Amino acid sequence: MALAGRVMATFRLALIQLQVSSVKSDNLTRACGLVREAAAQGAKIVCLPECFNSPYGTNYFPQYAEKIPGESTQKLSEVAKECSIYLIGGSIPEEDAGKLYNTCAVFGPDGTLLVKHRKLHLFDVDVPGKITFQESKTLSPGDSFSTFDTPYCRVGLGICYDLRFAELAQIYAQRGCQLLVYPGAFNLTTGPAHWELLQRGRAVDNQVYVATASPARDDKASYVAWGHSTVVTPWGEVLATAGTEEMIVYSDIDLKKLAEIRQQIPIFSQKRLDLYAVEAKKP
């Protein structure tokens, strides 16, 4: 399942837990500053949180939406090239042909747009007395898988609620991904219950590293993010995690350890494909 010749690599991953405000220009400036800081500390892949350039909410998505390329993604392209890193641009509200999407744009070390992931599973939930939210009021779902290659490993992308769907992670593992990254903004109801649990589950089930980048917590916001950006190993261990404040989480990703785990517990060769299968219906 590993990419040939890449299992010995170790590289530094940085997750930026950004304090998001209502001022887009301030969010962009602070995000780019923290990306530069992470690169200066040796990070080769840097990830921003979900909705890093705007508050999270169905009333905000139309107000802050922009095209890709646009103001926010142009800034990301420039700072990725300046720092010579792979930059996973969290997500922004994207407008395209009259529809809105929750979209993650990824840029390579030369500033090139490598992939654009539109959130596949929209966050429509109703937990009585705790949280009711309906992304589908304003957003449309994406319809494609999103992976990109680096000199270290292949990376699979999801956004927040995508983390709950085990089939997506399984498809990414089938396609050779060794790191799954989910910019996400769980809340004070789902966060303490499921945030770490889901990450550890996806990691163990697929023997991959899993990383999540959350906005910092703002108790005065209309939607309060859980925080706790996290990296989990293929063994299910929490390798690094944040608190609730703005900070950068660093983690050294050891693909030799991943290869050893897959050799010790060879679940991929032991699957009963004569009895079951998870299959992608689109390329």
Side-chain angles (χ1 to χ4, degrees):
M1 297 297 298
L3 297 180
R6 294 180 178 175
V7 296
M8 299 300 290
T10 300
F11 65 92
R12 175 159 285 191
L13 170 70
L15 309 176
I16 295 176
Q17 186 161 286
L18 183 71
Q19 188 73 60
V20 179
S21 76
S22 60
V23 183
K24 182 187 285 189
S25 59
D26 288 352
N27 295 329
L28 293 174
T29 297
R30 203 162 58 257
C32 289
L34 290 170
V35 168
R36 293 185 183 96
E37 180 181 335
Q41 294 300 315
K44 302 301 183 184
I45 300 179
V46 179
C47 183
L48 290 164
E50 182 181 25
C51 279
F52 83 91
N53 71 344
S54 74
Y56 181 81
T58 53
N59 55 319
Y60 296 112
F61 298 146
Q63 179 183 349
Y64 285 79
E66 57 185 79
K67 294 186 179 298
I68 297 177
E71 176 189 4
S72 297
T73 52
Q74 181 60 34
K75 294 285 188 185
L76 298 185
S77 172
E78 291 170 0
V79 76
K81 183 175 182 179
E82 173 191 334
C83 297
S84 191
I85 57 166
Y86 289 88
L87 179 55
I88 301 170
S91 79
I92 66 171
E94 178 200 8
E95 189 278 322
D96 183 34
K99 291 185 176 182
L100 300 181
Y101 302 91
N102 189 343
T103 303
C104 175
V106 180
F107 296 90
D110 61 356
T112 301
L113 177 64
L114 300 179
V115 69
K116 186 172 74 170
H117 178 75
R118 289 170 170 168
K119 190 172 188 176
L120 299 177
H121 306 91
L122 298 184
F123 184 56
D124 287 5
V125 302
D126 184 11
V127 182
K130 294 187 176 181
I131 184 168
T132 298
F133 202 92
Q134 195 169 5
E135 274 190 327
S136 62
K137 283 184 176 179
T138 54
L139 299 180
S140 296
D143 63 0
S144 61
F145 302 104
S146 303
T147 66
F148 66 97
D149 288 324
T150 74
Y152 321 106
C153 66
R154 179 169 292 166
V155 182
L157 295 174
I159 298 175
C160 200
Y161 201 50
D162 288 340
L163 178 63
R164 288 189 180 272
F165 297 85
E167 296 85 351
L168 177 61
Q170 290 172 46
I171 294 295
Y172 283 153
Q174 290 172 16
R175 295 186 176 190
C177 294
Q178 296 161 304
L179 169 64
L180 305 185
V181 180
Y182 299 86
F186 274 38
N187 53 71
L188 300 189
T189 296
T190 62
H194 301 145
W195 178 246
E196 182 182 307
L197 174 67
L198 288 167
Q199 294 172 65
R200 296 180 71 191
R202 298 296 85 84
V204 171
D205 284 350
N206 300 287
Q207 295 178 329
V208 293
Y209 283 91
V210 172
T212 55
S214 170
R217 189 179 302 178
D218 179 0
D219 291 320
K220 297 178 182 178
S222 57
Y223 180 95
V224 182
W226 173 238
H228 299 290
S229 301
T230 300
V231 181
V232 177
T233 74
W235 194 255
E237 304 161 306
V238 175
L239 190 58
T241 190
T244 61
E245 70 281 5
E246 180 173 278
M247 66 177 296
I248 304 174
V249 179
Y250 297 98
S251 184
D252 291 327
I253 304 299
D254 184 356
L255 297 176
K256 183 174 181 289
K257 180 175 182 178
L258 180 149
E260 290 172 350
I261 290 170
R262 290 184 175 186
Q263 184 176 32
Q264 293 163 4
I265 306 178
I267 59 173
F268 294 110
S269 62
Q270 295 170 334
K271 287 183 182 291
R272 289 294 305 274
L273 299 181
D274 56 322
L275 297 178
Y276 54 77
V278 174
E279 297 177 349
K281 294 191 175 182
K282 296 186 68 173

